[in-house]
Amino acid sequence: MTTIPKKQLVLLACMAVSAGCIIVSNIVTNKQTEVCGVALTCATFVIPFTYIASDLVAEVWGFRAARFVSLMTFAVGFMAVLVFAAAIAAPGIESFLMQPAFEQLLGAVPRTMAASFASFIIGSLVNAWVMQRMHDRDGERRLGLRCVLSTVAGESIDMGIFTIAAFWGVLPAPVLAETFLSGVVLKSLWETIIYALATRHVIAAVKAMPDE
């Protein structure tokens, strides 16, 4: 029986986490909550984990691997949307009485979904690119700075694209600006806290693993 190297298993796990988070975020984004007086969707606390996975992949395996993970995450997320749409369209049995709630929970608003996927793929690629460029310049030094700056860059692009594409013409400009700034700050802060608690230790452990 062929044994899969632990390092390769970590890469597969990063892909699974990223894909799982994008599917979950597109569901829980329907629920809004409030943090320090700022209204946010629950997806705000899920999406950063895709960027953490991207940081890990870019730091250990490089930009090309991180790009592959991002593209696969996008593909899996899009497939989930198609499956949800098919399930909604499928005729239910007579005793199924929750069709309106089912549609409301899983039905994708085309503009919002397009904005979500576009912002994710571009933001995650920017995040990985910044990680790779800084790693090429600094080597193994300044890991914390790499993770924080790549996060801010990726989240800024992500939130900028999503806010404009999803809500331009729907929400007034001051609300758009508040949504953008609060999203970038809170997501970046959330990722920074996770970096301090876990990400740096996981990266160090994975780098110490043998390639084979």
Side-chain angles (χ1 to χ4, degrees):
M1 184 175 65
T2 303
T3 301
I4 302 176
K6 290 183 179 179
K7 210 168 189 177
Q8 187 174 341
L9 290 175
V10 174
L11 180 59
L12 295 175
C14 287
M15 192 179 302
V17 168
S18 187
C21 285
I22 200 71
I23 293 172
V24 170
S25 69
N26 284 332
I27 296 173
V28 301
T29 194
N30 294 300
K31 173 71 178 291
Q32 287 192 319
T33 186
E34 189 175 80
V35 176
C36 300
V38 179
L40 299 166
T41 72
C42 290
T44 301
F45 306 99
V46 179
I47 281 293
F49 286 101
T50 66
Y51 283 85
I52 292 170
S54 179
D55 285 347
L56 173 57
V57 174
E59 179 67 19
V60 177
W61 291 278
F63 175 75
R64 292 184 64 183
R67 180 179 61 189
F68 178 75
V69 170
S70 295
L71 292 173
M72 288 302 298
T73 298
F74 170 83
V76 171
F78 186 70
M79 182 182 69
V81 171
L82 295 179
V83 171
F84 293 157
I88 289 171
I93 61 175
E94 187 175 346
S95 60
F96 183 71
L97 304 177
M98 296 185 293
Q99 182 69 18
F102 191 73
E103 292 180 9
Q104 186 174 8
L105 177 63
L106 298 179
V109 178
R111 179 177 177 179
T112 302
M113 292 306 300
S116 174
F117 283 129
S119 62
F120 164 75
I121 194 66
I122 297 173
S124 62
L125 289 176
V126 168
N127 177 82
W129 183 82
V130 172
M131 280 288 291
Q132 181 67 62
R133 295 285 292 182
M134 293 186 68
H135 186 273
D136 291 343
R137 185 192 68 186
D138 299 331
E140 297 301 315
R141 299 178 297 117
R142 299 175 179 172
L143 172 61
L145 184 63
R146 276 199 297 283
C147 288
V148 171
L149 291 184
S150 65
T151 289
V152 173
E155 292 290 6
S156 296
I157 296 295
D158 187 321
M159 282 300 300
I161 293 173
F162 180 78
T163 302
I164 293 173
F167 301 120
W168 184 265
V170 178
L171 299 176
V175 176
L176 290 177
E178 180 183 345
T179 301
F180 168 75
L181 290 174
S182 61
V184 171
V185 170
L186 288 174
K187 285 182 178 180
S188 299
L189 179 61
W190 180 227
E191 285 191 55
T192 301
I193 292 172
I194 296 174
Y195 168 81
L197 295 176
T199 306
R200 59 193 177 118
H201 302 297
V202 173
I203 289 175
V206 174
K207 282 186 172 181
M209 292 179 179
D211 292 327
E212 296 182 358

